[in-house]
Each structure stands twice: as C-alpha cells, then as structure tokens.
C-alpha cells in the first residue's frame, strides 16, 4: 500500500490540463494555419489576450467569492466613455481617468450593496445594473458641451493625447505595452489573493459563506469589495482598450465579451461554486481562449460560427466545473 502511495505522480489539475490543451492547439495551428506563427500575429495575439486577461482577473475575484458580475463590460465602457469626454473637454488626463475610475468603483460597490445587503440575486442584479448604467450614460449631457451619448454610441478621443495613447503602443521591437499591463495586473491580483488578509477572506467567503459569517467575517463589506475590485480591474482593461483604439464603442457592452471573460475564468479552473482558483487559472484560460479566437480569425470564420464554437466551449467549461466541483447542500444555495 505504501509502495503504491509513493508511486503516485503529481495530480493533474484543471489549469495544467488547459495549458496542455493550449500547447497542443498552438502546435496544430502552427502546422496547418499559414501565418499563425509569424511574429506579427504573435504580437497581435498578445495584444488581444491582454484586455481579455485583465477583465478575467477582475471577474475571478468575484467568482472566487461565489458571485458573478455581468455588468463588468458595461461598467468599464460607461466609465471610460465619461473619461474620454472629460479629456476632450479639457480636463487633465490623470484627473479624467481618476473620475472614470471612481465611477467604475461606485458601480461595483452598488452591485455589492444590492447583492449583500438587499440580498438580490447576483445574476439578475448585475444584468439590471449593466442596462441601467448604459441607459444613464447614453442619455446624460456632460456639462455645457451637450454631448448626448444616446446619439453617439462611439465616443472618440480627440487629438492631443499622444502621451496617453502610448499605453496602447509597443516597445522592444513590437512587444505590446498592454501585455506588460496584463502581467503587472496579474502580479498585483496574485499578491492580493495570496498574501493579504482580505484575499484569504475572499476564499473563505466563497468556500462557505454561512461558515464565514458565523466566524465573524464581515461578509457584506467583503462582497462590496469583491465587486468593486472587479469593476476597478475591468476599468484598467477599458483604459487599455481606449489607449489602443482612441475610442470607446458603447455597444461593446452588448457584445459577447462578457461571455468570453466568464469562459476564460471557468475554463481555467476558477470554480463557479466559489473558493477555488487563482491567477494562474486565469492565465491558462486566457491563453487557450486567446489562441482559439486567433485561430478562428485566421481561418476567416464568420461571427455566427465563432459564437457557436465559443458557446460549446463555455458549456464544456461549465460541465467540467460541475464534475470537478459538484454542488452540495452549501453550494446549491448559490444564486438563491
């Protein structure tokens, strides 16, 4: 018995399996897709996965705490659009970005308040808040410039902000700065989750909310912190997006990006039942989905076919999560 126990190899985790799948996919695409392994495409891949990865890092914090935020994309779209308008109106770039950042955090805190204090279901709460935020921003006039976003779904950044736009550029012979921002954000989130008291509270909260409450953890403020962090990190992704494109298209909130983010998080190994997963899970999921989307783009798949593939992958990810982390009496309360 002891001999068999000692012969056991390392346990294969979902994150390791996803990384292995990603490596296989890269090999297959390199062989069969012309142009996949070129330096230009690899830099484009890095640029694309950076925003998706940043958003997924924020979503992971909420999911680990046994929540879900469908308003993340709407939150960063609205807050960055306001930041652009303020920059165009003459506000200093840091001030405009700070105001947008505060707005994003406020949306996150409101979500957390409604979920933890009013005890509304996370799914419906964040869906409703995303619709409300977009509606308010689209119909709000900003100061006396009378910029009605309801008439302009695309908010452009005016000329004269070259220093800010450098965030969306490249360094070191073509390496996107955005991938460095993703890496830095990943390090910060990793340190927060693994080295801080609040980070450990997030895991405890997600693992068993009732036990966490009974042991004295401030679960309601903790929920508000989780949703605020999700919105704040999502805002970083939005800032990177406008630095790359010099605009914010508000209809991005009506796209499938939020489902891509959830797919990355769940596929990488962050469980929907809460209390499980880490930054490495997010990185693994981001790499796999990024490579898959890049390959489908090179193959010139139409949007409908891509959505079918992504839907199937998301269903597989949820099925895998349910098999690896079955719902018990405690986890079955999720979403009640």
């Amino acid at each position: 018995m002891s001999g068999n126990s000692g012969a056991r190899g390392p346990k294969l985790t979902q994150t390791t399996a996803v990384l292995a799948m990603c490596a296989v996919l890269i090999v297959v695409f390199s062989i069969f897709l012309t142009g996949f392994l070129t330096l230009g495409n690899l830099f484009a891949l890095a640029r694309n996965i950076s925003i998706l990865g940043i958003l997924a890092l924020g979503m992971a914090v909420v999911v680990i705490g046994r929540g879900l935020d469908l308003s993340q994309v709407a939150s960063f779209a609205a807050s960055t659009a306001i930041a652009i308008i303020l920059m165009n109106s003459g506000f200093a770039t840091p001030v405009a970005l700070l105001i947008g950042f505060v707005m994003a955090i406020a949306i996150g805190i409101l979500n957390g308040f409604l979920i933890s204090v009013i005890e509304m279901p996370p799914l419906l709460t964040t869906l409703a808040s995303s619709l409300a935020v977009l509606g308010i921003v689209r119909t709000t006039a900003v100061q006396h410039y009378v910029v009605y976003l309801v008439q302009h779904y695309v908010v452009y950044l005016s000329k004269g902000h070259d220093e800010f736009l450098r965030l969306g550029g490249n360094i070191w012979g073509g390496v996107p700065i955005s991938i460095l921002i993703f890496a830095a954000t990943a390090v910060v989130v990793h340190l927060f989750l693994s080295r801080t008291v609040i980070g450990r509270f997030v895991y405890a909260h997600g693992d068993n909310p009732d036990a966490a409450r009974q042991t004295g953890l401030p679960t309601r403020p903790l929920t508000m912190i989780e949703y605020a962090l999700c919105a704040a990190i999502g805002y970083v992704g939005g800032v990177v997006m406008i630095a790359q494109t010099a605009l914010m298209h508000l209809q991005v909130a009506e796209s499938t990006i939020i489902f891509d983010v959830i797919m990355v998080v769940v596929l990488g190994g962050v469980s929907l039942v809460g209390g499980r997963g880490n930054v490495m899970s997010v990185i693994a999921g981001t790499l796999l989905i990024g490579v898959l989307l890049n390959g489908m783009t090179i193959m010139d798949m139409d949007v409908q076919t891509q959505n079918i593939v992504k839907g199937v992958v998301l269903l597989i990810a949820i099925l895998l999560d349910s098999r690896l982390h079955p719902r018990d009496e405690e986890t079955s309360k999720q979403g009640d």
Side-chain angles (χ1 to χ4, degrees):
M1 294 292 290
S2 60
N4 291 338
S5 177
R8 290 176 184 172
K11 184 179 179 180
L12 180 65
T13 65
Q14 182 175 341
T15 300
T16 305
V18 169
L19 288 173
M21 291 170 58
C22 182
V24 171
L25 205 59
I26 290 174
V27 172
V28 172
F29 284 169
S30 300
I31 296 173
F32 295 103
L33 293 184
T34 303
F36 176 79
L37 209 55
T38 61
L39 196 59
N41 184 63
L42 292 179
F43 283 152
L45 173 61
R47 181 185 295 271
N48 291 333
I49 68 172
S50 59
I51 296 175
L52 181 62
I54 292 171
L55 297 178
L57 287 169
M59 184 66 71
V61 174
V62 165
V63 175
I64 290 172
R66 196 178 286 204
L68 194 65
D69 189 356
L70 296 184
S71 69
Q72 187 192 47
V73 176
S75 172
F76 85 68
S79 53
T80 52
I82 293 297
I84 289 176
I85 291 174
L86 293 176
M87 291 164 66
N88 291 344
S89 302
F91 280 71
T93 299
V95 174
L97 293 176
L98 180 60
I99 292 174
F101 184 66
V102 171
M103 177 181 172
I105 291 178
I107 295 171
I109 292 175
L110 177 61
N111 282 332
F113 176 83
L114 294 174
I115 292 166
S116 63
V117 178
I118 309 300
E119 298 184 350
M120 297 171 62
L123 188 69
L124 298 179
T125 300
T126 55
L127 178 60
S129 67
S130 67
L131 296 174
V133 166
L134 284 177
I136 292 171
V137 171
R138 284 173 176 168
T139 57
T140 298
V142 180
Q143 294 186 351
H144 58 279
Y145 294 92
V146 196
V147 182
Y148 289 96
L149 299 185
V150 69
Q151 300 173 3
H152 305 283
Y153 287 98
V154 183
V155 184
Y156 295 94
L157 181 64
S158 62
K159 295 181 179 180
H161 300 92
D162 295 338
E163 289 295 324
F164 169 72
L165 293 176
R166 287 181 182 177
L167 290 175
N170 305 319
I171 57 174
W172 300 335
V175 176
I177 295 178
S178 58
I179 199 68
L180 302 181
I181 298 175
F182 172 38
T185 306
V187 170
V188 172
V189 174
H190 168 71
L191 293 176
F192 167 75
L193 290 174
S194 62
R195 303 295 177 86
T196 68
V197 174
I198 297 179
R200 290 192 288 271
F201 283 175
V202 170
Y203 279 100
H205 181 210
D207 187 56
N208 194 324
D210 289 336
R213 189 179 301 109
Q214 291 172 8
T215 55
L217 290 186
T219 54
R220 287 178 175 174
L222 190 60
T223 299
M224 288 185 264
I225 290 174
E226 291 163 1
Y227 281 88
L229 285 173
C230 180
I233 297 171
Y235 180 76
V236 174
V239 169
V240 172
M241 184 179 291
I242 62 175
Q244 289 181 352
T245 61
L247 59 87
M248 174 51 64
H249 201 310
L250 289 175
Q251 284 186 313
V252 70
E254 300 168 3
S255 69
T256 60
I257 289 182
I258 189 63
F259 301 107
D260 294 344
V261 172
I262 296 173
M263 182 164 52
V264 163
V265 170
V266 178
L267 188 62
V270 180
S271 176
L272 289 172
V273 302
R276 299 170 179 86
N278 50 44
V279 167
M280 196 62 214
S281 304
V282 175
I283 293 174
T286 301
L287 288 174
L288 180 58
I289 297 304
V291 170
L292 179 63
L293 295 178
N294 183 263
M296 290 193 296
T297 300
I298 294 177
M299 287 186 283
D300 199 23
M301 282 189 181
D302 58 82
V303 175
Q304 289 75 17
T305 304
Q306 290 192 34
N307 287 338
I308 291 173
V309 173
K310 290 191 291 185
V312 171
V313 172
L314 180 57
L315 286 174
I316 292 173
I318 295 174
L319 177 62
L320 181 62
D321 176 61
S322 66
R323 292 296 182 182
L324 293 176
H325 311 111
R327 298 162 70 90
D328 53 23
E329 184 179 351
E330 290 296 331
T331 60
S332 65
K333 297 177 183 178
Q334 169 72 358
D336 288 351

